[in-house]
Amino acid sequence: MSEQVLETAAVTTVTQDSEIDLEAAFQESQVQDILDKLDQELVGLKSVKNKIKEMAALLLVDRIRKSLGLTAGAPSLHMTFLGNPGMGKTTVAMRMAEILYRLEYIRKEHVMLVTRDDLVGQGIGQTAPKTREVLNNAMGGVLLVDEAYTLYRPDHPGDFGLEAIEILMQVMENQRDDLVVILAGYKTQMEHFFHSNPGMNSRIGIHIEFNDYSVDNLMIIAQSIVKSQNYCFSPEAETAFREYLIKRKTMPHFANARSVRNAIDRARLRQANRLLSSGKKLNKQDLITIEAVDILASRVFREGVPDCEPES
């Protein structure tokens, strides 16, 4: 919904001395459609989704207040997303950008995803132009800096990441009306990053924590991925995959939904090799069914290590 519509509705309401219907304004903004899309895309994450809805409500109320001359200063929109990989942080950033664009807090419905390599140069004089180019390209939308804590490397004296941080902080402060910055990364590392960079921490108004998926939620994600690829688990394979997840979650480099997808890809490879080696005539059910043996062949069961670990 445009600001003009909000202003017209608000002015009409005041003139008629009637109540302001926030629910009607919310429905007219079509933000609920975006929240529904997010709910369909990501399993669980109730606290994250509630936080996004709260932010949408704040932005809507802020717009209506402005139309009535009730200014309170623009809300700080820079954010941190704290959590392990594979939690849907990029998806949430995309939906947040849609909400910000729909309510006219940004000019472009665009999320630019970058890492340290996109911002920091290898030599003297390289970092500033790289960082400024990224910021210029992201202006008007949302900039998502993944693994943002890698910008600060205290064990590397003279590291150019500090230069990128300084430029980023300047833009976050001076151009906060035209760029929303989201810093994402592991919770512990991000806490250390902010402790070492209090100026950055002071520019962040919203912190959203992505807690790891439960095994039940990971199984829902797995079933969705398998179905989307026109496969299915046999009952025994489903049991085996649940056991796989229980074991894999305790091992290094677990990346939630990303690890689930990778495990299914490896199961498909084993299934294809098994079918080819069988020498039997196959039917459609054979081609779509992942069996327990395709799961149990994982190194998680055989050696107690992730499949992504290098072979010894």
Side-chain angles (χ1 to χ4, degrees):
M1 179 171 56
S2 69
E3 187 174 1
Q4 184 178 1
V5 172
L6 280 171
E7 290 178 352
T8 302
V11 170
T12 301
T13 302
V14 172
T15 301
Q16 296 177 349
D17 197 27
S18 59
E19 295 181 346
I20 297 172
D21 191 341
L22 281 179
E23 181 61 29
F26 183 70
Q27 293 301 322
E28 190 175 351
S29 72
Q30 299 181 325
V31 166
Q32 187 61 52
D33 294 342
I34 301 171
L35 297 174
D36 291 342
K37 188 191 303 183
L38 182 63
D39 200 40
Q40 293 167 5
E41 290 173 319
L42 297 178
V43 172
L45 299 180
K46 183 177 180 180
S47 63
V48 173
K49 294 171 182 176
N50 285 341
K51 190 73 171 182
I52 299 301
K53 185 172 182 179
E54 288 174 357
M55 290 177 61
L58 171 63
L59 297 176
L60 180 67
V61 169
D62 180 64
R63 274 297 182 195
I64 293 177
R65 283 172 52 87
K66 283 182 179 178
S67 72
L68 299 175
L70 301 172
T71 58
S76 177
L77 298 176
H78 301 313
M79 313 171 214
T80 57
F81 287 178
L82 308 173
N84 293 324
M87 293 301 304
K89 293 190 285 291
T90 302
T91 299
V92 173
M94 291 170 60
R95 299 299 158 246
M96 192 68 240
E98 287 186 50
I99 292 171
L100 292 168
Y101 177 75
R102 194 72 61 88
L103 296 176
E104 297 188 342
Y105 280 85
I106 57 177
R107 295 183 287 110
K108 299 187 295 186
E109 188 181 325
H110 173 67
V111 177
M112 185 174 182
L113 173 62
V114 298
T115 62
R116 173 189 166 91
D117 290 343
D118 299 301
L119 300 169
V120 181
Q122 298 297 314
I124 296 174
Q126 296 179 3
T127 295
K130 284 188 73 171
T131 301
R132 290 196 176 99
E133 181 180 6
V134 165
L135 291 169
N136 287 337
N137 291 336
M139 205 60 65
V142 174
L143 176 67
L144 175 59
V145 185
D146 198 18
E147 297 184 340
Y149 54 86
T150 61
L151 292 174
Y152 179 67
R153 293 180 173 176
D155 297 332
H156 296 72
D159 181 71
F160 299 114
L162 285 174
E163 186 177 1
I165 292 173
E166 290 174 2
I167 296 171
L168 190 58
M169 286 195 298
Q170 290 173 5
V171 171
M172 289 171 68
E173 179 66 25
N174 299 331
Q175 296 175 268
R176 58 184 179 272
D177 292 336
D178 200 33
L179 180 67
V180 174
V181 175
I182 302 175
L183 305 179
Y186 294 101
K187 181 180 179 181
T188 301
Q189 285 91 328
M190 289 300 294
E191 288 174 347
H192 290 160
F193 173 76
F194 286 129
H195 180 73
S196 303
N197 297 273
M200 179 67 80
N201 190 31
S202 67
R203 287 163 171 78
I204 303 293
I206 301 159
H207 301 271
I208 301 180
E209 187 169 348
F210 291 68
N211 295 315
D212 283 350
Y213 287 117
S214 66
V215 171
D216 286 342
N217 282 338
L218 290 170
M219 282 301 300
I220 293 172
I221 292 169
Q223 293 285 13
S224 176
I225 293 172
V226 167
K227 183 178 180 181
S228 71
Q229 296 176 343
N230 294 308
Y231 283 85
C232 67
F233 287 134
S234 70
E236 296 77 13
E238 185 172 345
T239 300
F241 198 79
R242 176 177 286 274
E243 183 63 26
Y244 168 90
L245 290 173
I246 293 171
K247 293 178 178 293
R248 182 65 184 87
K249 274 176 64 70
T250 66
M251 298 177 184
H253 312 301
F254 182 69
N256 290 281
R258 197 175 304 164
S259 289
V260 169
R261 182 175 294 277
N262 291 340
I264 291 171
D265 287 343
R266 285 189 287 268
R268 290 176 57 192
L269 288 171
R270 299 187 194 107
Q271 185 239 31
N273 186 57
R274 172 175 57 81
L275 293 177
L276 184 61
S277 303
S278 69
K280 299 178 180 179
K281 300 289 186 181
L282 305 174
N283 57 36
K284 181 178 178 180
Q285 193 62 36
D286 294 326
L287 294 173
I288 68 173
T289 304
I290 295 174
E291 298 288 355
V293 65
D294 304 321
I295 308 296
L296 296 172
S298 166
R299 294 175 68 199
V300 165
F301 292 101
R302 293 188 290 107
E303 303 173 31
V305 298
D307 291 297
C308 59
E309 289 284 336
E311 296 281 353
S312 57

